[in-house]
Amino acid sequence: MLVILKRDNQEVNEQAAQLIAGAIRKNPSLTLGLATGSTMVGLYRHLVRLHQAGSLDFSQAATFNLDEYLGLPASHPQSFNHFMHENFFRHINIQPRNIHIPDGSVRRDYDAYCASYEQSIRAAGGIDLQILGIGRNGHIGFNEPTSSLASRTRLKVLSRETIDDNAKFFGPREESPRCAITMGIGTILEARKILLLATGPPKAAAVAKSIEGPITCAVSASALQLHPDVTFLLDEPAAAQLTQREYYQRVLEMTALLTPDRLS
Ligand code: GLP
């Protein structure tokens, strides 16, 4: 596990964009796992900027989003589908057929739908690089606390904390969704490489538990300790409760010296 500490949100976004751009330049047909949420807005802005400057080509890349609210059609302004198109896809040259986002409008046969999403990930050769945010309760995707660490793409009931956190994106009279379709923790752990971004003080406790706490279904992101190639990219406020910061810094310096490929 690599823990990269940056000063602020801006530096986290820049570094994340550089890492993703480097991966796409190395492998133009990269399959990216993508996340939504306010943490990702700045990252997508940076990637769009690199694309517009002519230094990043998405024409062969494919993407799979982690999750979508159940009951929201793609056109709903609060759907993750809408978020992705507005913040990212409509500004880059990705081919529409290579974009995959769980369909929040499915009404029955949920298991069959979720199995088909898993199947399309497999058919694409698996996810090369999975980008993650983290919820205040340690969720990744919408894998709320007590999610099975072996879970696959499925329907998930959202926790009260998540519903409250996301209510700000909905109108005062609008009810925010109670359920979502999300890749499972098992699905996420199959990605070849994982990059988790966290910024701001509200994430500090979840980040510390995920990196330094025990592996537990009470903190879904702690399952990332089981993955051989995870990078946590954090700003200072999000890293505030980590106890081994000096060690992470030394690991980073030695990695840059001995295996610089891991950082590009
Ligand atoms: C949502 C998404 C997660 C995201 C998290 C954090 O619930 N399902 O994938 O990581 O919220 O969001 P934010 O970046 O807005 O704090």
Side-chain angles (χ1 to χ4, degrees):
M1 177 182 293
L2 278 178
V3 180
I4 303 180
L5 303 176
K6 293 286 169 187
R7 207 175 27 204
D8 54 23
N9 190 26
Q10 167 81 3
E11 282 193 8
V12 165
N13 291 329
E14 267 170 31
Q15 172 92 44
Q18 286 307 333
L19 288 170
I20 296 166
I24 295 176
R25 288 182 195 123
K26 252 186 240 166
N27 172 14
S29 52
L30 194 83
T31 299
L32 266 174
L34 294 178
T36 51
S38 36
T39 313
M40 300 298 146
V41 173
L43 166 65
Y44 293 139
R45 202 176 298 134
H46 272 84
L47 288 172
V48 167
R49 226 173 271 154
L50 290 175
H51 169 68
Q52 287 171 346
S55 67
L56 194 52
D57 174 22
F58 292 92
S59 61
Q60 295 175 59
T63 63
F64 284 87
N65 264 77
L66 281 167
D67 48 12
E68 178 61 284
Y69 289 120
L70 188 70
L72 296 195
S75 57
H76 191 287
Q78 256 48 263
S79 72
F80 287 165
N81 192 306
H82 189 263
F83 173 100
M84 289 308 301
H85 281 87
E86 282 308 300
N87 287 288
F88 195 33
F89 296 140
R90 76 184 181 90
H91 308 287
I92 60 172
N93 64 336
I94 189 159
Q95 307 222 31
R97 66 163 189 276
N98 290 338
I99 296 172
H100 306 84
I101 304 174
D103 179 1
S105 67
V106 285
R107 289 192 183 230
R108 61 180 98 86
D109 294 338
Y110 300 113
D111 289 352
Y113 175 74
C114 292
S116 75
Y117 198 70
E118 291 268 336
Q119 177 49 35
S120 32
I121 295 174
R122 274 193 298 275
I127 291 172
D128 295 307
L129 174 58
Q130 176 67 56
I131 311 304
L132 296 175
I134 185 169
R136 273 194 306 138
N137 61 8
H139 74 214
I140 46 178
F142 269 134
N143 293 287
E144 298 288 32
T146 71
S147 288
S148 159
L149 303 190
S151 50
R152 312 299 309 187
T153 302
R154 71 209 181 292
L155 267 193
K156 193 72 200 162
V157 176
L158 301 180
S159 70
R160 175 49 56 196
E161 195 175 18
T162 297
I163 293 170
D164 292 346
D165 279 354
N166 292 336
K168 60 178 180 281
F169 299 113
F170 291 82
R173 262 182 273 277
E174 241 177 332
E175 214 181 287
S176 53
R178 300 290 187 258
C179 295
I181 295 173
T182 182
M183 280 187 206
I185 298 174
T187 321
I188 292 169
L189 289 177
E190 277 173 13
R192 292 183 186 92
K193 196 176 175 81
I194 297 177
L195 177 62
L196 185 146
L197 275 54
T199 59
K203 303 294 171 67
V207 163
K209 286 182 199 158
S210 306
I211 298 175
E212 296 178 348
I215 297 174
T216 166
C217 69
V219 183
S220 299
S222 67
L224 299 176
Q225 294 173 31
L226 295 166
H227 193 281
D229 193 351
V230 180
T231 300
F232 280 79
L233 188 44
L234 313 170
D235 71 355
E236 273 178 17
Q241 292 184 30
L242 291 172
T243 62
Q244 313 278 332
R245 296 162 60 136
E246 185 269 341
Y247 177 66
Y248 304 139
Q249 193 48 40
R250 284 198 294 120
V251 170
L252 209 56
E253 284 162 16
M254 291 311 279
T255 304
L257 214 60
L258 302 174
T259 50
D261 265 10
R262 279 205 70 189
L263 297 171
S264 62

